């Protein structure tokens, strides 16, 4: 790419130089960005972090607003309380300086020991007020912000992993099912399901997706739910209900109640 640009520049004299050749550099930069986007597809963790920043931006904003409010209130308090004192002249002479001191020293603990020592030497009450600020701002609000980010990333990671598992399972099922689709309609019936779960590649894919294969085979009626056939996408969605990591939902409890009622009625009839 650089050789092409150099050749184009050398082939032009200063009088006939066309600045349009420099636009080629923008094109090559664009190609680099495209390759970077493709590379990100193979690093889902980076995508999760970027999405997490976007999803948590609202919570981060309001958390920082609370932190700013605390710094502002305590800045006003320390400015007036420490007026005409040695610590006040050094750290709390103006409101701006007070907020600056509380932000860097109070939140990021920059020379906090020196500030705390001067506050306690000036007055025990001043020292206690500084300790309450440290307890509220960096220890409570900042840790609360970390907790929010961790929770958001945990949920996003679970969602992204579920999406990856769904895509993988759909791809593997489609690849295997195409070779054994008897009527070529793209739908799965009970007979095709029985053959599908006997395929070694399908069983391997189900295990990789953490699906309970034994329960899947024994409870085929729950998958079809009275229907003769299912669309492939719907079929993949149904079999994902047998993942071992799934949590119990109200729908699961209702299906369990119906199954118990059905079995009880069959026993009573016998």
């Amino acid at each position: 790419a650089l050789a092409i640009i150099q050749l184009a520049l050398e082939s032009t004299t200063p009088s006939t130089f066309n600045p349009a050749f420099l636009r080629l550099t923008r094109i090559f930069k664009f190609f680099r960005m495209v390759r970077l986007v493709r590379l990100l597809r193979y690093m889902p963790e980076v995508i999760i972090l970027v999405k997490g920043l976007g999803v948590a931006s609202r919570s981060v904003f309001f958390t920082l607003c609370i932190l700013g409010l605390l710094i502002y209130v305590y800045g006003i308090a320390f400015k007036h309380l420490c007026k005409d004192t040695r610590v006040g002249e050094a750290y709390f002479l103006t409101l701006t300086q007070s907020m600056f001191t509380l932000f860097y020293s109070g939140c990021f603990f920059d020379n906090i020991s020196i500030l705390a020592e001067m506050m306690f030497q000036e007055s025990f009450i001043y020292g206690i007020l500084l300790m309450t600020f440290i307890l509220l701002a960096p220890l409570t609000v900042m840790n609360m912000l970390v907790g929010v980010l961790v929770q958001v990333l945990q949920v996003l990671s679970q969602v992204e992993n579920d999406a990856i598992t769904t895509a993988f399972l759909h791809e593997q099922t489609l690849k295997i099912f195409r070779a054994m689709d008897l009527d070529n309609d793209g739908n799965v019936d009970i007979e095709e399901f029985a053959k599908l779960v006997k395929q070694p590649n399908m069983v391997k894919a189900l295990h990789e997706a953490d699906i309970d294969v034994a329960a899947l085979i024994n409870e085929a009626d729950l998958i079809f739910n009275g229907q003769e056939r299912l669309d492939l996408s719907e079929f993949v969605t149904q079999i994902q209900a047998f993942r071992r990591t799934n949590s119990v939902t109200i729908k699961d409890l209702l299906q369990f109640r119906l199954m118990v009622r059905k079995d009880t009625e069959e026993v009573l009839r016998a």
Side-chain angles (χ1 to χ4, degrees):
L2 295 176
I4 296 175
I5 297 174
Q6 184 177 3
L7 181 62
L9 292 175
E10 291 177 354
S11 63
T12 58
T13 61
S15 59
T16 62
F17 175 71
N18 188 1
F21 285 109
L22 296 179
R23 297 177 184 175
L24 292 173
T25 58
R26 298 182 181 179
I27 297 176
F28 290 118
K29 288 181 180 179
F30 174 74
F31 287 149
R32 289 182 181 178
M33 291 297 296
V34 172
R35 283 186 291 177
L36 180 61
V37 171
R38 290 180 180 178
L39 183 62
L40 288 177
R41 295 180 181 177
Y42 300 97
M43 296 186 294
E45 293 81 6
V46 178
I47 298 177
I48 291 173
L49 290 174
V50 174
K51 288 184 177 179
L53 292 176
V55 174
S57 59
R58 179 181 174 86
S59 300
V60 171
F61 172 75
F62 285 108
T63 304
L64 294 179
C65 286
I66 295 174
L67 180 62
L69 181 62
L70 286 173
I71 293 175
Y72 178 73
V73 172
Y74 274 87
I76 294 175
F78 283 125
K79 176 182 178 298
H80 291 283
L81 289 175
C82 300
K83 189 176 181 180
D84 298 330
T85 61
R86 187 167 60 91
V87 67
E89 294 177 356
Y91 294 101
F92 305 105
L93 189 61
T94 63
L95 178 59
T96 304
Q97 186 182 13
S98 298
M99 296 179 64
F100 182 86
T101 300
L102 292 175
F103 181 72
Y104 282 99
S105 297
C107 295
F108 297 104
F109 304 114
D110 183 24
N111 296 325
I112 186 64
S113 59
I114 299 176
L115 176 62
E117 183 180 358
M118 292 182 66
M119 295 288 283
F120 276 106
Q121 287 179 354
E122 194 66 40
S123 174
F124 183 77
I125 297 177
Y126 297 168
I128 294 298
L129 285 176
L130 180 63
M131 293 298 104
T132 58
F133 173 79
I134 294 175
L135 179 64
L136 290 175
L139 297 182
T140 301
V141 177
M142 298 295 284
N143 284 304
M144 183 173 62
L145 177 60
V146 173
V148 169
L149 292 176
V150 170
Q151 182 67 24
V152 169
L153 290 177
Q154 183 179 3
V155 173
L156 277 178
S157 177
Q158 183 65 37
V159 171
E160 290 294 327
N161 289 333
D162 290 343
I164 293 173
T165 302
T166 302
F168 166 76
L169 195 58
H170 189 277
E171 180 183 356
Q172 295 297 319
T173 305
L174 181 61
K175 184 191 303 182
I176 299 171
F177 183 69
R178 280 178 177 174
M180 54 173 294
D181 192 4
L182 301 178
D183 46 12
N184 294 322
D185 60 349
N187 296 325
V188 183
D189 55 25
I190 296 180
E191 182 180 353
E192 292 171 337
F193 167 75
K195 295 180 180 179
L196 185 63
V197 294
K198 293 180 181 179
Q199 300 293 322
N201 292 335
M202 187 64 193
V203 174
K204 181 180 178 181
L206 292 173
H207 279 297
E208 290 181 1
D210 199 24
I211 293 177
D212 192 341
V213 181
L216 182 67
I217 297 174
N218 295 330
E219 303 297 338
D221 294 338
L222 293 177
I223 298 175
F224 291 91
N225 196 20
Q227 303 180 35
E228 295 183 358
R229 58 186 67 239
L230 292 174
D231 180 72
L232 188 61
S233 299
E234 186 179 357
F235 173 74
V236 173
T237 303
Q238 291 294 333
I239 64 177
Q240 284 192 96
F242 290 86
R243 293 182 64 185
R244 295 183 178 91
T245 56
N246 288 348
S247 301
V248 179
T249 61
I250 300 297
K251 180 182 178 181
D252 298 328
L253 295 177
L254 293 176
Q255 288 180 344
F256 177 74
R257 187 177 67 176
L258 292 175
M259 185 175 61
V260 171
R261 181 183 297 177
K262 180 180 179 181
D263 293 341
T264 304
E265 291 176 355
E266 291 179 356
V267 171
L268 293 176
R269 289 175 183 174

